[in-house]
């Protein structure tokens, strides 16, 4: 009788246990939004990610600061940055199908304390980035696109417990994020944001003319309209 009761209890636990996230990641903004701010090189413009806004890929070589005001101070979190376009042939503001490299892994950090996210925010370059608790599974890799533009999504997952992450040795391209999420039981993202990184042969602040594989002269024409409208 005791064995049967234990078996029944185990079945209930399996039935009602939190399930792994079976969905696909998408370029979207949560409510409240995941606050992301880049230290834009030379400070030519605001580094705040507002959901679909544009950055020159050469202007964001350093990781952003990430804040989420709804983080639970008693929980730990995993941060992930992924290029779901993975083709470098997108042309803002037109959405394109994922390319052969998609998804591309750009940044994964685990065991981020909730109190860090709620206060000063997580900054990979800071010496106070978590007092040794944080696990940088993959350091920030700046967007690298040889032409036109790609979109980049940032996602924050709430952990059930501290995680011992296995080092990632595989190529950053064709990253199986669904397998990663399932392996560590991260569930659905709690917060998200995204931006568009644009390639230019010359910085528009240099005064030199564009050449080569640049975005067209009309890349900004329909900003705020269509499928790539920024988050409200």
């Amino acid at each position: 009788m005791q064995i049967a009761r234990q078996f029944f209890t185990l079945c209930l636990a399996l039935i009602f246990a939190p399930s792994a996230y079976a969905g696909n990641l998408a370029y979207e903004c949560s409510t409240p939004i995941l606050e992301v701010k880049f230290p834009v090189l030379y400070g030519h413009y605001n580094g705040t990610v507002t959901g679909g806004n544009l950055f020159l890929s050469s202007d964001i070589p350093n990781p952003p600061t990430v804040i989420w005001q709804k983080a639970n101070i008693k929980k730990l979190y995993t941060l992930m940055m992924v290029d779901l376009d993975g083709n470098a042939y997108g042309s803002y503001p037109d959405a394109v199908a994922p390319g052969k490299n998609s998804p591309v892994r750009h940044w994964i950090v685990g065991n981020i304390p909730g109190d860090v996210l709620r206060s000063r925010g997580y900054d990979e370059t800071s010496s106070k980035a978590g007092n040794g608790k944080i696990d940088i599974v993959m350091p920030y890799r700046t967007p690298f696109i040889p032409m036109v533009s790609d979109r980049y999504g940032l996602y924050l997952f709430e952990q059930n417990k501290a995680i011992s992450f296995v080092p990632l040795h595989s190529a950053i391209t064709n990253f199986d994020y669904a397998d990663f999420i399932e392996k560590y039981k991260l569930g659905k993202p709690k917060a998200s944001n995204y931006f568009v990184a644009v390639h230019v042969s010359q910085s528009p602040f240099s005064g030199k003319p564009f050449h080569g594989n640049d975005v067209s002269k009309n890349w900004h024409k329909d900003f705020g309209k269509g499928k790539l409208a920024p988050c409200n």
Side-chain angles (χ1 to χ4, degrees):
M1 186 68 179
Q2 179 66 22
I3 294 176
R5 186 179 295 112
Q6 290 175 345
F7 178 75
F8 179 70
T9 301
L10 176 60
C11 289
L12 286 177
L14 290 173
I15 292 172
F16 293 105
S19 60
Y21 182 52
N24 293 322
L25 295 179
Y27 294 117
E28 58 189 5
C29 299
S30 58
T31 303
I33 198 169
L34 181 64
E35 298 176 42
V36 180
K37 186 170 185 177
F38 282 98
V40 172
L41 206 62
Y42 308 121
H44 289 302
Y45 50 92
N46 193 322
T48 301
V49 175
T50 57
N53 58 325
L54 310 181
F55 290 85
L56 300 182
S57 58
S58 58
D59 282 351
I60 49 176
N62 299 310
T65 297
V66 179
I67 296 174
W68 193 47
Q69 296 293 349
K70 287 194 68 176
N72 187 329
I73 60 173
K74 296 182 180 180
K75 292 283 189 177
L76 298 173
Y77 293 82
T78 294
L79 175 67
M80 182 186 299
M81 176 174 149
V82 184
D83 171 6
L84 302 174
D85 288 333
N87 52 33
Y89 296 113
S91 184
Y92 182 88
D94 299 320
V96 294
K100 64 179 181 180
N101 292 326
S102 176
V104 183
R105 186 176 72 240
H106 277 265
W107 197 21
I108 300 181
V109 184
N111 297 320
I112 305 175
D115 59 339
V116 170
L117 289 166
R118 283 189 66 135
S119 55
R120 63 181 178 271
Y122 173 66
D123 176 3
E124 187 172 285
T125 63
S126 172
S127 60
K128 299 179 181 179
N131 300 320
K133 298 178 181 178
I134 293 176
D135 188 345
I136 301 176
V137 184
M138 175 184 170
Y140 172 80
R141 183 182 188 275
T142 185
F144 176 76
I145 44 179
M147 61 180 69
V148 200
S149 65
D150 268 5
R151 294 168 290 176
Y152 294 81
L154 292 108
Y155 308 92
L156 187 69
F157 302 85
E158 188 175 273
Q159 302 172 198
N160 293 319
K161 60 181 180 179
I163 298 174
S164 296
F165 290 92
V166 176
L168 293 171
H169 299 298
S170 60
I172 65 171
T173 55
N174 304 128
F175 173 52
D176 190 347
Y177 64 76
D179 180 71
F180 185 90
I181 291 171
E182 181 178 1
K183 179 178 181 178
Y184 295 111
K185 308 301 179 187
L186 296 176
K188 185 177 181 179
K190 291 289 186 179
S192 60
N193 203 341
Y194 79 100
F195 64 94
V196 181
V198 179
H199 166 82
V200 287
S201 55
Q202 295 288 347
S203 170
F205 307 104
S206 68
K208 299 178 181 179
F210 288 165
H211 61 83
N213 298 321
D214 283 307
V215 294
S216 82
K217 62 182 179 181
N218 294 321
W219 61 269
H220 62 285
K221 187 176 74 171
D222 293 320
F223 180 64
K225 299 179 182 179
K227 293 183 179 180
L228 297 189
C231 298
N232 294 325

